[in-house]
Amino acid sequence: MNFVENVKVEKLLINYKTLEEFKRFKEYGNQELSMLEDLQSNIVENDSISPFYGLYYGETLVARMSLYRVDKKYDKYFEPQHEYLELWKLEVLPHYRDKGYGRKLVEYAQGYNLPIKTNPRINSQGFWEKMGFQKAKYEMQRDFGQNPLLWLPEGIKEKSAN
């Protein structure tokens, strides 16, 4: 039995304990992926709405992602215009990579059955393709100088270039 199959995705609280856990990720580099600054700017108290989700191995946070729900009035990606999720950052600590943690987080997001948009990070294109994401076809969909990747549930189509 695969250990990751039994791990549950947890919504991370916006508090100082989570801030300390996030500092472990920053030590491994990839500053672009660091969610530490996002968390610091959002700390209020435990009951704040958190966009952060994570997986633990024992007591250690080993994988995390930021997941934001975007109102359909801002949708420029899908037909019909649709509420969607923006999977902003996903990171797994180096020792825990290639064990299914990233897949588990993405499958959790896909479980909402909403379209998902992400921008691939460092050397991650193959991972996203395995998870069913495809490059946005519509030229106007370039985001932050990158081509976003999209995942579409049944019945939702990407906008065409016409």
Side-chain angles (χ1 to χ4, degrees):
M1 184 188 315
N2 187 344
F3 172 75
V4 175
E5 308 260 334
N6 297 322
V7 175
K8 184 179 172 224
V9 174
E10 296 182 33
K11 189 161 192 143
L12 302 176
L13 298 175
I14 297 178
N15 61 23
Y16 288 99
K17 178 183 182 290
T18 305
L19 180 63
E20 289 304 310
E21 291 172 329
F22 275 25
K23 286 179 180 175
R24 293 191 66 239
F25 285 83
K26 192 167 185 166
E27 291 170 16
Y28 287 98
N30 288 347
Q31 295 295 329
E32 176 189 35
L33 298 181
S34 176
M35 291 183 246
L36 186 60
E37 291 80 14
D38 292 350
L39 179 62
Q40 285 173 318
S41 66
N42 283 309
I43 285 184
V44 180
E45 35 184 273
N46 279 347
D47 60 355
S48 295
I49 296 172
S50 171
F52 306 112
Y53 296 83
L55 292 170
Y56 285 86
Y57 180 82
E59 298 292 315
T60 304
L61 179 66
V62 298
R64 64 193 179 156
M65 72 176 168
S66 296
L67 193 63
Y68 297 91
R69 193 176 285 252
V70 180
D71 190 282
K72 72 180 183 178
K73 69 182 175 186
Y74 300 110
D75 173 22
K76 58 184 179 180
Y77 300 98
F78 310 106
E79 283 183 10
Q81 200 168 26
H82 208 283
E83 178 180 30
Y84 68 95
L85 297 175
E86 172 125 17
L87 201 159
W88 187 246
K89 298 172 184 169
L90 182 138
E91 187 176 11
V92 179
L93 289 176
H95 182 70
Y96 298 92
R97 291 183 186 153
D98 300 318
K99 296 181 181 353
Y101 289 101
R103 176 182 52 79
K104 185 89 169 178
L105 287 172
V106 173
E107 287 173 350
Y108 176 84
Q110 290 170 332
Y112 281 97
N113 206 32
L114 290 171
I116 301 172
K117 180 188 89 71
T118 192
N119 283 315
R121 304 293 181 202
I122 304 162
N123 301 321
S124 67
Q125 187 81 28
F127 167 77
W128 293 108
E129 289 171 1
K130 281 189 229 171
M131 295 304 303
F133 284 73
Q134 299 178 343
K135 286 184 182 180
K137 296 174 188 85
Y138 188 52
E139 191 59 36
M140 294 299 290
Q141 294 179 5
R142 290 181 61 82
D143 241 7
F144 305 110
Q146 301 176 22
N147 286 318
L149 298 178
L150 305 175
W151 178 81
L152 306 169
E154 280 292 313
I156 299 180
K157 297 178 182 166
E158 181 182 350
K159 278 189 179 176
S160 66
N162 298 335

